[in-house]
Amino acid sequence: MIVVSACLAGFEVRYNGTHSLNETVRELLEQKKAVSVCPELLGGFITPREPAEIIGGDGDDVLDGAAKVVEISGRDVTELYVNGAHLTLMKAQEVGAAVVVLKEYSPSCGSAMIYNGEFKGVKAVGNGVTTALLRKNGIKVISEEELGDYLALAQIKV
Ligand code: SF4
């Protein structure tokens, strides 16, 4: 089974009420080869919500207590992000996920790049909180940008 970001599957769960539809991800869901999850909604957020970024590092640093997740208005929402990460981990373990495909650049779901904490649209190398926790627990996480290569290698037809 594959776990995917709900916004990639077309659900309007992003902070601003939009989706990030990826046709391959939606097809995986329709073929029952994937289940979707939104770590931020699992963590207790609603849609719409304020944009948030990690300040002081990346998802690994958040889990180590060395960085925090803050909304644009300044509210510290670290605990909600960590909660969402743990619930996503439980879901991935429950379904025996072979891989988890998460939306790049998100403070939860980014797996190679996130925004740098200045709310200026500047990206930096780093992972989101959910990605960090999944990887710490031995779960393979990739972004939608790597999905085509993964499916080809795993010989999964969509
Ligand atoms: S990027 Fe992750 S946390 Fe953000 S809306 Fe998509 S699934 Fe939810």
Side-chain angles (χ1 to χ4, degrees), residues 51-55 72 114-124:
E53 296 190 8
I54 297 175
I55 295 184
I72 195 165
I114 55 172
Y115 287 99
N116 75 349
E118 295 179 333
F119 293 97
K120 290 181 179 166
V122 180
K123 292 164 186 159

Side-chain angles (χ1 to χ4, degrees), residues 38-59:
C38 174
E40 289 170 22
L41 294 190
L42 282 179
F45 287 99
I46 56 166
T47 301
R49 55 191 174 276
E50 285 190 31
E53 296 190 8
I54 297 175
I55 295 184
D58 72 354

Side-chain angles (χ1 to χ4, degrees), residues 5-7 13-14 37-40 49 103 106 108-109:
S5 278
C7 58
V13 293
R14 294 186 66 223
V37 67
C38 174
E40 289 170 22
R49 55 191 174 276
K103 174 78 184 77
S106 151
S108 293
C109 293

